Amino acid sequence: MEIQKVSLTFRSIHKLALPATIAGIAEPLLSITDTAIVGNISVDGLESLAAAGIVGSFLSMLIWILGQTRSAISAILSQYLGAEKLGAVKTLPAQAIFLNITLSVFILLSTIFVIEEIFTLMNASGKILHYCISYYSIRVWGFPLTLFIFAVMGIFRGLQNTYWPMMIALVGALLNIVLDFILVYGIEGLIAPMYLDGAAWASLIAQMVMALMAGVLLVTKTDINLKLSLDWHPELSRLIVMSLNLFVRAIALNTALILAVREAAALGDKYIGAHTIAVNIWLFSAFFIDGYGAAGNIMGGRLLGAKNYTGLWSLAKKIIKYGLLISLVLVLLGFVFYYPIGRLFSNEPLVLETFYAIFFIVILGLPMNTLAFVFDGLFKGLGEMKYLRNTLLVATFLGFVPTLFLGKYLGWGFYGIWIAFTIWMIIRGGALVFKFRRKFRPLLQNH
């Protein structure tokens, strides 16, 4: 078989990575905008910030668990593109989208009637619990829309296109910011302030616009047919298995995130407020770095489909180098703007003091996070979902959870939560680097 040529120049990688980075950071920017604006509300700002953090963590868990079809469909399409057999999977995307929406509606209906119980389990009580219920009751209706958007973005990625996902994400993020200011604070004489509920409506409206835009672009900019075929596509079983592996992986991932929120909430209001700020910055940096993971996902699947192992090895080295450079820039910016960053999110002295005490841990962990996020994206493109699942299970239940509760037992307080995050990322990054070298170096030498 002749090896398909795939350009691995700085320009070709960044043509995919930069739009993917912009699209990626637009996603957590929705939550960051809510956090920053809600944290500065004059009425119950601390309680609103805590509620936004708790609900945001739970929604992120749902989205990440059920949004894994995006990575699976992207991997399959890119591999078929590399093998020059794209026509063989023309009916698969519509079936993947249908699967996503069906699951999302089921989960929505399963949670909407037990909202109070869910957030009580996450240690929300009193006024914070009331705000959680109100905020979630609005935001949850955007859940099916988000999963539809994710599936469409996965299709575009599989077709080696990150431009349109970027445009969808940018429109949604900018619209959300504008609506946040209008609906949260109101416009004197025109719109009454809606406070936390306003932030929820802003996110929901932005998701509606993004979903409409995604559907129109998919129909007009690709040859993908959205007509649902009742004939079971041969690759649908593989897609479901890949998605289930990522489903289990996402449960492990979100176990760590939810436990962290729960322990922060148990420490007190100022801690959950500080944790909300820290975790939003952590997620923002993750998606920022993840642009190179997306390039690895997209190009890696195509190179594997073409059996171009030399190109695959070269791709891995380049995207890690670029990702580490970006992470070092973020580390520098984090320390230079250490205090102004906190003040963007809250004007509560107790929250800021608590946040500043652990922010250095978040910043110093960025290079290790880069290894985990970049190789994570690459492994998804290669279809290595089973190994990703096992890595997260080990990192979470043998790394994060024991460290978290050891820190609680030893009285480390808020520091213990973020030390546990650091151990978690070291295991994730180290395991993926080890696996890639062990599996693909022999293939490179024999090629």
Side-chain angles (χ1 to χ4, degrees), residues 176-354:
N176 188 78
I177 291 171
V178 172
L179 291 174
D180 259 336
F181 279 102
I182 293 172
L183 299 178
V184 172
Y185 299 134
I187 298 175
E188 190 172 350
L190 291 175
I191 301 174
M194 297 173 67
Y195 303 117
L196 186 59
D197 282 355
W201 280 111
S203 295
L204 179 58
I205 294 168
Q207 287 167 320
M208 290 176 179
V209 172
M210 290 169 70
L212 179 62
M213 188 176 174
V216 170
L217 287 172
L218 186 65
V219 171
T220 58
K221 300 297 181 181
T222 74
D223 294 326
I224 297 297
N225 187 351
L226 285 180
K227 183 180 179 182
L228 184 63
S229 171
L230 297 180
D231 293 329
W232 186 276
H233 192 282
E235 284 287 4
L236 189 59
S237 297
R238 181 183 169 211
L239 183 142
I240 291 173
V241 170
M242 290 169 71
S243 298
L244 285 174
N245 279 323
L246 290 174
F247 179 96
V248 174
R249 173 186 176 275
I251 290 176
L253 187 152
N254 282 282
T255 296
L257 295 177
I258 294 296
L259 279 176
V261 170
R262 191 175 186 278
E263 291 305 309
L267 290 171
D269 290 357
K270 68 177 183 178
Y271 292 100
I272 187 59
H275 183 73
T276 298
I277 297 171
V279 83
N280 271 286
I281 293 171
W282 188 86
L283 290 171
F284 178 82
S285 65
F287 281 99
F288 199 100
I289 296 166
D290 197 45
Y292 294 99
N297 179 306
I298 296 163
M299 302 178 81
R302 187 175 179 184
L303 288 163
L304 181 66
K307 300 188 186 306
N308 187 346
Y309 303 118
T310 302
L312 184 59
W313 189 264
S314 177
L315 172 69
K317 290 197 297 184
K318 289 182 177 182
I319 59 177
I320 278 295
K321 180 175 73 175
Y322 300 147
L324 285 173
L325 287 173
I326 292 294
S327 71
L328 291 175
V329 171
L330 292 176
V331 168
L332 179 62
L333 291 174
F335 281 116
V336 170
F337 297 103
Y338 199 88
Y339 293 101
I341 288 172
R343 289 193 292 270
L344 282 174
F345 295 94
S346 180
N347 53 18
E348 293 280 348
L350 288 176
V351 172
L352 289 175
E353 181 184 350
T354 308

Side-chain angles (χ1 to χ4, degrees), residues 161-180:
N161 185 323
T162 55
Y163 176 77
W164 292 119
M166 175 190 72
M167 295 306 296
I168 294 167
L170 275 179
V171 168
L174 293 174
L175 180 60
N176 188 78
I177 291 171
V178 172
L179 291 174
D180 259 336

